[in-house]
């Protein structure tokens, strides 16, 4: 599996910050193919959060990854994945809380 990233085109000013979470136990590949002159392809491990910039009208494709090849699981409008600064702060504090609990259990 490969991960590819090219810088987001600087002339596109209406970009939004998005977050996708792989809630499965399988490795997935996330792709955005709907923005001209831009390639976005990332491997997303189980339970991993993926933060990325996109255009509101772009679509994030989610593919399953298996030995037999890839299969398209679905397309998600990026505006559905848009996050705000407040949601990032809340997510960050829950991650920190989870890490603290894990550390105290060891």
């Amino acid at each position: 599996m490969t991960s590819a990233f090219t810088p987001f085109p600087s002339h596109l000013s209406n970009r939004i910050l998005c977050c996708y979470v792989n809630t499965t136990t399988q490795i997935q590949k996330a792709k955005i193919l709907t923005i001209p002159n831009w390639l976005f392809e990332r491997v997303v491990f189980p339970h991993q959060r993926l933060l990325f910039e996109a255009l509101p009208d772009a679509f994030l494709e989610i593919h399953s990854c298996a030995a037999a090849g890839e299969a398209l699981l679905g397309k998600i409008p990026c505006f559905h994945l848009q996050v705000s600064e407040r949601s990032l702060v809340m997510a960050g504090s829950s991650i920190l809380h989870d890490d603290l609990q894990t550390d105290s259990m060891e």
Side-chain angles (χ1 to χ4, degrees), residues 17-29:
L17 181 62
C18 303
C19 181
Y20 172 75
V21 181
N22 177 356
T23 59
T24 72
T25 58
Q26 304 297 315
I27 295 174
Q28 297 178 337
K29 190 181 288 184

Side-chain angles (χ1 to χ4, degrees), residues 55-97:
L55 296 178
D57 59 345
F59 285 85
L60 182 70
E61 292 185 2
I62 302 299
H63 297 258
S64 65
C65 298
E70 286 184 19
L72 178 63
L73 297 175
K75 293 182 179 184
I76 306 167
C78 289
F79 73 88
H80 285 206
L81 301 172
Q82 185 174 4
V83 296
S84 65
E85 185 176 333
R86 178 184 167 123
S87 62
L88 285 175
V89 169
M90 291 172 61
S93 65
S94 69
I95 293 168
L96 179 60
H97 179 71

Side-chain angles (χ1 to χ4, degrees), residues 1-4 22 27-31 40-46 48-50 63 65 70:
M1 283 177 269
T2 62
S3 289
N22 177 356
I27 295 174
Q28 297 178 337
K29 190 181 288 184
K31 298 180 183 182
F40 181 84
E41 184 175 294
R42 292 288 169 121
V43 172
V44 187
F45 292 96
Q48 181 181 11
R49 287 184 178 100
L50 174 65
H63 297 258
C65 298
E70 286 184 19

